[in-house]
Amino acid sequence: MTMIKFLDLQKVTAKYADEIHEAVLRTVDSGWYLQGRENERFETDYAKYIGTEYCIGCANGLDALIWIFRAYIEMGVMKQGDEVIVPANTYIATILAITENGLKPVFVEPSIETYQIDDSKIEEAVTPKTKAVCIVHLYGQCAYTDRIGEICKKYNLKLIEDNAQAHGCIYQGKKTGSIGDAAGHSFYPGKNLGALGDAGAVTTNDEKLAKTVRALANYGSYKKYIFQYTGRNSRLDEIQAAILNVKLKHLDDDIALRKQVAKYYIDSITNPNIILPKIFDWNQHVFHIFPIRCRERDGLQNYLTDSEIQTIIHYPTPPHKQECYKQWNEMSLPVTEQIHEEELSLPMSPVMTREEIDTVITALNKWGE
């Protein structure tokens, strides 16, 4: 039996191989490899897809978030030492972007029902030093709620979206990435919209923020050899932009296929020892990850590996327990810690076959018999 991959990137890429090859060849033959037409085309098309005025391509998703916070500092909206409310249950990149800018993350527990930031706990975390709420659309599920919007308005807080895992997710007719003041996007190869290398972007309707982000990611320069900021080189290259434009055309169709896999999992996995994700609105989930929970998670993962089914844990250790953040290691965040001890991600992609899905379901339902 062949291993069922968590994500078969070869098959994902092969779906659009002819279009990708044509786009790469066109770019190579153009002789222009940075900040050219492919970037302009992708930024225009992605901004239109997300529903924002501006999109600024950059090197990766972490940089996208870093530049948002840095731009707000340069604009005088924030200063070092200010606080940013952030979900404790997230990938470390979200936290790195905050601390990289000398800002302080204030961890708020997630809901055990949704795994997203618990909006009932945000307001109590607000202090005079709070300047923003950063929500993370984790696993591909919308983290935004009207209550979060009301809190941001009440306390005049910026709302920043980490949309690294949720391209195409919709909340009441709006795409995530267009709901807040600014959003960071990752196009890491394994994402729903993935490049063939690192790539990222910032989306926003704020013209000043957009211009500042673009300058910061280009050595701090608006104009060649004129530097307003001490920036860095963090640009989206032309080849990745061309590839992303090919895959963007197919994103909604791929999301629909992911939803079919998710629905089949939810309808067919019946093992009482496995906690399935609760879906309150199918528009609000694009299933970048299909997370289950199990008290015997490690045993289940070993069993699935022996059954030739590859799984991944998102994530084994939460940010506040990482060695690089020793100052928070003694912090107790029980809901976050429970999720990180029990979460297991099943194979999920738009190229899974019915046979592969059935194999996963059968193995899960037999576990523990």
Side-chain angles (χ1 to χ4, degrees):
M1 179 180 173
T2 304
M3 172 73 77
I4 297 174
K5 295 181 180 180
F6 174 76
L7 173 62
D8 193 333
L9 281 177
Q10 264 188 313
K11 284 177 67 175
V12 170
T13 304
K15 279 184 73 176
Y16 312 117
D18 290 344
E19 292 177 81
I20 289 172
H21 291 161
E22 189 279 327
V24 171
L25 186 61
R26 179 183 70 240
T27 307
V28 171
D29 287 347
S30 75
W32 196 287
Y33 308 125
L34 279 171
Q35 296 182 303
R37 290 181 180 177
E38 300 297 340
N39 254 275
E40 291 174 8
R41 186 179 295 121
F42 175 68
E43 290 180 347
T44 298
D45 290 351
Y46 193 63
K48 183 177 180 181
Y49 177 81
I50 292 295
T52 57
E53 288 291 321
Y54 306 100
C55 170
I56 307 94
C58 60
N60 54 68
L62 172 57
D63 278 6
L65 290 172
I66 287 173
W67 299 136
I68 291 170
F69 289 113
R70 172 73 184 280
Y72 278 131
I73 290 172
E74 296 291 352
M75 293 161 60
V77 176
M78 300 178 192
K79 62 181 185 301
Q80 291 195 355
D82 283 341
E83 295 174 352
V84 178
I85 291 172
V86 65
N89 178 39
T90 185
Y91 182 55
I92 198 168
T94 318
I95 313 304
L96 289 171
I98 296 169
T99 58
E100 173 76 9
N101 282 290
L103 302 168
K104 179 184 176 183
V106 176
F107 298 103
V108 170
E109 287 269 55
S111 161
I112 196 66
E113 297 287 318
T114 67
Y115 310 138
Q116 310 300 319
I117 192 167
D118 188 337
D119 63 5
S120 71
K121 297 180 179 178
I122 292 176
E123 190 164 12
E124 65 191 44
V126 175
T127 75
K129 298 188 77 173
T130 307
K131 291 296 184 293
V133 175
C134 181
I135 58 174
V136 182
H137 305 298
L138 197 66
Y139 309 142
Q141 184 171 6
C142 180
Y144 180 79
T145 65
D146 289 342
R147 186 172 186 176
I148 292 174
E150 291 164 3
I151 292 169
C152 289
K153 186 176 181 180
K154 179 178 178 180
Y155 294 98
N156 192 28
L157 306 176
K158 294 296 182 184
L159 177 61
I160 297 164
E161 299 174 75
D162 182 339
N163 201 49
Q165 299 185 4
H167 321 117
C169 187
I170 299 171
Y171 178 83
Q172 295 183 2
K174 296 185 71 173
K175 295 268 194 355
T176 55
S178 70
I179 297 170
D181 295 286
H185 307 253
S186 168
F187 307 119
Y188 177 80
K191 304 297 187 185
N192 290 19
L193 178 60
L196 299 188
D198 273 322
V202 172
T203 55
T204 184
N205 288 316
D206 185 331
E207 182 180 12
K208 186 176 181 181
L209 179 73
K211 288 181 176 179
T212 306
V213 166
R214 190 175 296 282
L216 286 167
N218 186 38
Y219 297 97
S221 173
Y222 289 112
K223 183 179 179 182
K224 195 168 185 178
Y225 301 135
I226 305 297
F227 303 96
Q228 184 166 347
Y229 311 108
T230 54
R232 294 184 189 171
N233 176 7
S234 176
R235 299 176 297 203
L236 176 62
D237 75 67
E238 287 285 281
I239 289 177
Q240 298 303 339
I243 292 166
L244 287 168
N245 241 343
V246 168
K247 297 181 78 174
L248 179 60
K249 293 185 295 184
H250 302 287
L251 178 57
D252 287 343
D253 290 338
D254 282 347
I255 289 170
L257 291 170
R258 286 175 174 273
K259 288 183 178 181
Q260 288 179 18
V261 177
K263 190 171 190 313
Y264 196 35
Y265 276 156
I266 289 171
D267 290 345
S268 305
I269 297 171
T270 57
N271 191 322
N273 297 306
I274 292 169
I275 300 171
L276 297 168
K278 293 185 179 179
I279 310 304
F280 300 96
D281 184 336
W282 283 83
N283 283 326
Q284 293 185 32
H285 211 315
V286 293
F287 296 99
H288 171 58
I289 301 297
F290 190 91
I292 61 172
R293 283 180 25 241
C294 178
R295 289 184 179 179
E296 303 296 328
R297 188 263 312 279
D298 294 346
L300 175 58
Q301 185 177 44
N302 290 336
Y303 160 78
L304 290 173
T305 300
D306 290 341
S307 302
E308 300 292 323
I309 297 168
Q310 184 182 38
T311 58
I312 294 179
I313 298 169
H314 291 90
Y315 300 95
T317 306
H320 72 282
K321 294 295 185 182
Q322 296 287 350
E323 185 177 357
C324 63
Y325 288 131
K326 289 180 180 177
Q327 66 269 41
W328 297 310
N329 283 179
E330 299 305 314
M331 186 180 291
S332 175
L333 295 166
V335 179
T336 295
E337 289 156 25
Q338 179 184 351
I339 292 169
H340 285 248
E341 288 167 2
E342 297 180 350
E343 193 278 340
L344 186 67
S345 302
L346 300 184
M348 166 58 70
S349 81
V351 295
M352 286 188 75
T353 66
R354 183 63 176 263
E355 182 182 5
E356 288 173 330
I357 302 166
D358 282 334
T359 300
V360 174
I361 292 167
T362 300
L364 286 168
N365 286 339
K366 284 184 176 180
W367 182 66
E369 286 184 351

